Amino acid sequence: MDIFRNKNFSLMFFGRILTNIGDSLYAVSAMWLVYNLGGSSFYTGLAGFLSILPKIIQIFSGPIIDRLPVRGILVYSQLIQAFLLLIVPVAAYYDFLSVGLVLVITPILNICNTWVYPVQMSALPRVVHKHQLTQGNSLFSIAYQGIDVACNAISGVLIVALGAVSMYFWNAIGFFIGAMLFSQLRIAPFPPSSSAKQEAAQQPDTASASVDEESTGNRKHAGIRLFFRNYMDDLVSGIQLLTRTSLAKLLFGIMVINAAGGATFSVLPIYSDKLGGAGMYGLMLMAQALGSVIGATCAPYLRLEQVRLGLLYSVAYIASGIAWIACVFAPWGWLSILVYGLAWLPGGAVNVIINTVVQKGIPQKYLGLVFAATMALSGIAMPVGSLIGGTLGVWIPTAGVITLSGCIVVLVGVFWMVDRVSRSLPKTEHLNEGYFSFTPRAESARSGTGTGTSM
């Protein structure tokens, strides 16, 4: 492809592949190692909580990314992860490896990794021509999903063959190589953002050499306070837009389903161990990833835009919840894997639709606020669910936690089916810009008007 003749794109693409491989293999080996060291679902639930929670930082990373060089962020994020991963095999060699050490390292690793994807997506328009943007985004997406499926498929085998501790060592090598690739990037700095220009315009002129150090520091602090005040106003406005429209019940239902997914994720290592060990754990994760990918791939061909939104979501997640429950009662391991993968297929399909709904029904100027708020709410639900699921796994069998999670998914689907507001949501193809709208807090404060809701 012509796009791979672009050196910067090729470096970003293959560096991202190495990062994805390391991230996927690490996620599986970390959960398995925590289970082996701790021997309790409480620790796997805590590990899931700590691994997912840092993803919320992505919401706040955007303005920071705009102010730092792309190459520096990518290189140092890889190097920090590599050195942190090496701590585990070193600790194992000197016999001071503990579940506490793994749990401390886990969130730091994930904080570093949350920077890579948004940095690359932000830099892509400055790396390729405009007519290559869709192709570049597609290649990144395919590589990400494909690697996730492949790594989940082989992770169990690698853990059995090499051991979870050895996986940390080889992951570290991969991150070192990724850092070397990223170090070859030559990308122009980000242009000043509109928020940065606004902050600069509102700060006093600092060109005069006679200004003393104290007053300069005061201006910097004032600029930082202004930035965070504007940023939090926008974030709150995005959450208000979600909670004050007829989409609210649908989106909060999705949060509950995400929490159920986090609970299942936290007990899956123990459940898989009883079915067949680390290999079974990898296969269950592969089935989950494949189900989501197949659902998302089929979505454009199923004409889902022609189904009323509330009905679509209720039917999809009732079917998903039933499959979620059925996987526990399957008499054979291979059937449990198959049914578990099918449970994630409806969600993969309809999740494509919700992005279209937001893009079509929310005014264009508020899309950034809404997607940031959606990430925040979804990001909170999964780690909380993981912690709850791991705690429940101490008191009830892990199969019971998965069954309970499936029942919750079914109940959410039933609620959407009987709820009047959810049933009244239109077909996606009938949405137009502004269908879900109101005046955000920050804008109403500037104009002196109140807020209102358009259903």
Side-chain angles (χ1 to χ4, degrees):
M1 297 183 191
D2 289 341
I3 195 170
F4 285 107
R5 295 179 182 176
N6 185 318
K7 181 181 178 181
N8 281 326
F9 177 82
S10 296
L11 289 170
M12 285 176 56
F13 180 78
F14 291 111
R16 180 59 182 170
I17 286 179
L18 284 172
T19 301
N20 288 344
I21 292 173
D23 182 43
S24 298
L25 293 180
Y26 156 72
V28 177
S29 56
M31 291 293 286
W32 193 257
L33 185 59
V34 166
Y35 168 55
N36 283 337
L37 293 173
S40 169
S41 66
F42 171 76
Y43 290 109
T44 57
L46 185 58
F49 174 83
L50 293 174
S51 65
I52 300 171
L53 188 62
K55 294 184 183 298
I56 301 174
I57 294 175
Q58 282 183 325
I59 304 161
F60 304 99
S61 64
I64 301 174
I65 289 171
D66 288 344
R67 290 162 169 77
L68 295 176
V70 172
R71 184 176 62 180
I73 295 176
L74 294 175
V75 170
Y76 287 114
S77 66
Q78 303 304 288
L79 290 177
I80 293 172
Q81 288 182 88
F83 283 116
L84 287 171
L85 286 167
L86 287 176
I87 292 175
V88 170
V90 170
Y93 181 82
Y94 289 103
D95 200 27
F96 66 89
L97 180 62
S98 66
V99 65
L101 179 62
V102 178
L103 290 174
V104 169
I105 292 173
T106 295
I108 304 174
L109 280 165
N110 281 280
I111 287 173
C112 293
N113 198 52
T114 57
W115 291 80
V116 177
Y117 188 72
V119 166
Q120 288 195 331
M121 299 310 292
S122 299
L124 190 61
R126 292 180 291 118
V127 170
V128 300
H129 297 293
K130 287 185 178 181
H131 69 275
Q132 294 178 317
L133 272 176
T134 300
Q135 184 183 17
N137 281 313
S138 178
L139 286 169
F140 274 145
S141 180
I142 291 171
Y144 178 81
Q145 298 287 354
I147 287 169
D148 199 33
V149 172
C151 288
N152 286 337
I154 66 172
S155 56
V157 176
L158 290 176
I159 290 174
V160 172
L162 302 176
V165 172
S166 296
M167 294 281 284
Y168 276 76
F169 173 78
W170 291 109
N171 277 345
I173 299 300
F175 281 120
F176 276 124
I177 297 173
M180 292 174 60
L181 289 177
F182 289 140
S183 69
Q184 303 303 308
L185 287 170
R186 296 294 182 269
I187 302 176
F190 282 106
S193 64
S194 58
S195 60
K197 291 177 181 177
Q198 180 184 6
E199 292 164 25
Q202 295 188 39
Q203 292 184 46
D205 182 18
T206 58
S208 174
S210 62
V211 178
D212 59 27
E213 185 176 343
E214 182 178 355
S215 62
T216 302
N218 290 337
R219 278 191 291 274
K220 288 181 179 179
H221 288 304
I224 293 172
R225 287 196 299 270
L226 173 65
F227 165 76
F228 280 107
R229 185 174 70 248
N230 291 338
Y231 191 90
M232 293 308 299
D233 280 346
D234 286 346
L235 187 60
V236 170
S237 295
I239 295 174
Q240 285 180 336
L241 203 156
L242 292 178
T243 57
R244 295 186 181 185
T245 69
S246 52
L247 266 183
K249 291 183 179 180
L250 191 68
L251 294 171
F252 281 114
I254 294 172
M255 284 179 60
V256 174
I257 292 172
N258 284 341
T264 297
F265 179 72
S266 69
V267 300
L268 200 58
I270 302 172
Y271 176 75
S272 302
D273 189 35
K274 294 177 180 178
L275 287 182
M280 184 63 70
Y281 180 47
L283 289 173
M284 293 290 279
L285 291 176
M286 181 190 70
Q288 176 179 326
L290 269 176
S292 299
V293 171
I294 292 172
T297 303
C298 294
Y301 306 101
L302 298 177
R303 301 181 183 276
L304 300 180
E305 295 91 346
Q306 299 178 10
V307 182
R308 294 186 71 89
L309 201 57
L311 177 63
L312 174 65
Y313 265 79
S314 61
V315 171
Y317 278 105
I318 287 174
S320 177
I322 291 172
W324 211 314
I325 298 167
C327 79
V328 174
F329 297 97
W332 305 289
W334 66 266
L335 185 58
S336 181
I337 294 170
L338 176 62
V339 176
Y340 183 70
L342 290 175
W344 292 86
L345 195 149
V350 297
N351 282 342
V352 174
I353 297 298
I354 195 63
N355 287 332
T356 304
V357 168
V358 172
Q359 289 166 346
K360 291 183 68 175
I362 300 294
Q364 293 292 314
K365 60 181 178 179
Y366 302 141
L367 281 180
L369 304 182
V370 172
F371 278 118
T374 303
M375 288 175 61
L377 297 175
S378 299
I380 291 170
M382 287 197 70
V384 171
S386 182
L387 192 59
I388 293 173
T391 304
L392 285 175
V394 176
W395 305 101
I396 64 176
T398 53
V401 176
I402 296 175
T403 302
L404 179 61
S405 299
C407 290
I408 290 172
V409 174
V410 170
L411 289 175
V412 171
V414 171
F415 171 79
W416 284 331
M417 184 168 286
V418 301
D419 177 62
R420 181 182 60 83
V421 175
S422 300
R423 289 203 319 269
S424 68
L425 290 171
K427 300 176 183 179
T428 306
E429 66 180 4
H430 291 165
L431 288 174
N432 49 44
E433 183 176 349
Y435 185 90
F436 309 107
S437 67
F438 85 115
T439 304
R441 185 182 75 171
E443 186 171 316
S444 63
R446 288 191 295 267
S447 63
T449 60
T451 60
T453 304
S454 174
M455 294 289 188

